[in-house]
Amino acid sequence: MAVAIYPGSFDPITNGHLSIVRNGLVAFERIIIAVLNHPTKSPLLSVAERIALIEASLPNGGANIEVDTFDGLLVDYARKRGVRVVLRGLRAVADFEYELQMANVNRHLNESVETVFIMAQDAYFYVSSNVVKEAARLGGDISKLVPPVVGVKLKEVYPR
Ligand code: ADP
């Protein structure tokens, strides 16, 4: 079975992330969305909150998608799960250098894990969790950039 791990912070999930999942399911039979539990990053939302928002936003009621969390090295998590493909999204040129670096480091750490990229959709090319949070904090309309549950959550976090 062709399975890929889609790792990230998802703080919070955006329509850009969801488009990668949807398009990823064209290439893979199953996708494991793996939420990074990073002790030194200070996320806006807890891992439990991020997972709940992802689960409430999945296309097709979440068929063929699993949501999980990991800490430590991604390649160790992939080995533990018996998965050999990492799925990442590519947006603006700025993503490229970072993603190239990560893919090569991961390949160096575990040669049997390969990273596959899916290009961002035009509509979400500039959408990032950070941009969405900043816009929500300042009272901007982010309804076209995130699933409805995320919009509601960010209104709670940033009441105006
Ligand atoms: P990280 O904190 O590891 O950068 P993110 O949660 O920001 O993780 O993103 C996870 C993956 O999803 C990354 O490969 C990122 O490039 C991709 N991604 C994020 N936003 C978009 C988007 N709007 N369109 C396509 N890919 C995206």
Side-chain angles (χ1 to χ4, degrees):
M1 201 188 204
V3 184
I5 292 173
Y6 180 31
S9 305
F10 305 101
D11 184 39
I13 190 157
T14 68
N15 288 343
H17 291 126
L18 285 171
S19 76
I20 297 296
V21 172
R22 222 175 284 112
N23 296 334
L25 284 171
V26 174
F28 298 98
E29 287 160 284
R30 202 158 68 84
I31 291 180
I32 301 170
I33 301 178
V35 178
L36 177 62
N37 186 1
H38 201 303
T40 58
K41 269 190 185 176
S42 41
L44 177 69
L45 304 171
S46 70
V47 168
E49 286 173 309
R50 284 180 270 158
I51 288 177
L53 292 174
I54 294 170
E55 282 176 344
S57 310
L58 293 178
N60 248 329
N64 305 318
I65 303 167
E66 178 189 333
V67 187
D68 195 9
T69 177
F70 76 105
D71 51 23
L73 284 177
L74 174 61
V75 288
D76 289 343
Y77 173 71
R79 194 182 288 122
K80 195 179 91 192
R81 295 298 314 258
V83 174
R84 299 185 55 186
V85 180
V86 168
L87 175 65
R88 296 284 287 178
L90 263 191
R91 286 165 297 190
V93 195
D95 270 354
F96 181 78
E97 209 174 319
Y98 174 72
E99 294 289 347
L100 178 69
Q101 206 176 9
M102 291 303 296
N104 275 314
V105 167
N106 285 334
R107 194 188 267 147
H108 172 80
L109 294 173
N110 184 344
E111 270 186 353
S112 67
V113 172
E114 198 51 46
T115 306
V116 166
F117 294 97
I118 287 186
M119 295 296 166
Q121 278 182 15
D122 295 7
Y124 305 127
F125 207 70
Y126 296 101
V127 178
S128 67
S129 298
N130 281 341
V131 160
V132 161
K133 282 183 281 194
E134 189 60 5
R137 191 176 68 81
L138 298 170
D141 177 8
I142 53 161
S143 57
K144 290 199 171 65
L145 309 180
V146 294
V149 282
V150 171
V152 170
K153 182 73 181 181
L154 289 177
K155 278 218 174 79
E156 280 169 33
V157 176
Y158 300 119
R160 283 180 70 84

